[in-house]
Amino acid sequence: MTRLSTLLDEIDSGVVLLPEFQRGYVWNRDQVRGLMRSLYRGYPVGGLLMWETTSEDITVRGAAGGSGTRQLLLDGQQRVTSMYGVIRGTPPPFFEGDASAFTGLHFNVETESFEFYAPTKMVGDPTWVNVTELFRKGPFEYLSAFPDVEREVLNPYLARLNRIKEIDNRDFNSEKITGAGKTVDEVVDISNKGNS
C-alpha cells in the first residue's frame, strides 16, 4: 500500500518518475471531477503499477538527479497526475499535457458537488471552496466564512471539508515489478498485459 501524501512527496523528490515511453496527460475536467468525487465518497479508484529499478539506462521524465532505486510509474499516471495537480495546485515534474484539466476545482460544502471555477456562480458564495487551497490551508480556514451559520449546519460543513483533506492520507494498492534483469520491452509487455 502507498499513502497518497507519501507518493506525492516521492514525486517531488524525484524517486517516482515517469518512463519516457508513457503517453502524456490526456484526462479532461469531467474525468478529474469524477475522480475527486469518487475519492471523496471513498469509492475504489484503482491501484498503481510501479517498476522498481536501479537502471540508469531508462529515459524518464521528471528526473531530479541522483542515483539509486527509482520507482517508474507504469499504470495510474492519469489518476496520480490529477491528484497531484489538484492537491499541489501545479503539475508534477514529469507532466506533459493540459494543466487546465485539474486547475480551479471547487467544492460546494452545502451540495457536496465538485465543479470547476465559474465566477458567475461562485463569486460571493462562501459555500464554494477552492479544493487546492483547502489542501494548503486546512478546513478551519473556511469556518470564518460562515459567521452567521448555526452549529448544526457548520458541523457538517467542517466534516465535509475534513473528508476532502483526508484524501491525501488515502492508501492505494501498489504493485511493483522488480528484478535487476528486467528490460524495457519486458516491462512494457507486463504493463500492457495488465491494462488489457
Side-chain angles (χ1 to χ4, degrees), residues 15-102:
V15 172
V16 172
L17 305 163
L18 193 68
E20 189 62 47
F21 59 78
Q22 286 279 43
R23 66 182 177 171
Y25 184 73
V26 297
W27 270 22
N28 61 43
R29 287 180 158 201
D30 287 337
Q31 290 168 300
V32 172
R33 186 174 40 240
L35 173 65
M36 290 306 293
R37 184 175 29 244
S38 293
L39 289 166
Y40 174 74
R41 292 179 179 165
Y43 297 166
V45 295
L48 308 173
L49 179 62
M50 310 290 278
W51 179 17
E52 186 175 276
T53 181
T54 56
S55 174
E56 300 289 329
D57 297 334
I58 298 112
T59 308
V60 296
R61 294 196 298 261
S67 60
T69 302
R70 304 183 304 170
Q71 305 288 329
L72 305 185
L73 183 58
L74 300 176
D75 187 37
Q77 184 228 147
Q78 304 299 315
R79 286 170 284 140
V80 168
T81 300
S82 299
M83 291 181 290
Y84 186 103
V86 169
I87 292 171
R88 295 280 202 257
T90 184
F94 54 68
F95 183 76
E96 287 182 6
D98 181 6
S100 69
F102 52 73

Side-chain angles (χ1 to χ4, degrees), residues 34 104 176:
K176 290 186 180 170

Side-chain angles (χ1 to χ4, degrees), residues 167-179:
I167 288 171
D168 66 358
N169 288 322
R170 179 148 175 184
D171 289 322
F172 288 84
N173 184 42
S174 180
E175 295 187 56
K176 290 186 180 170
I177 298 171
T178 59

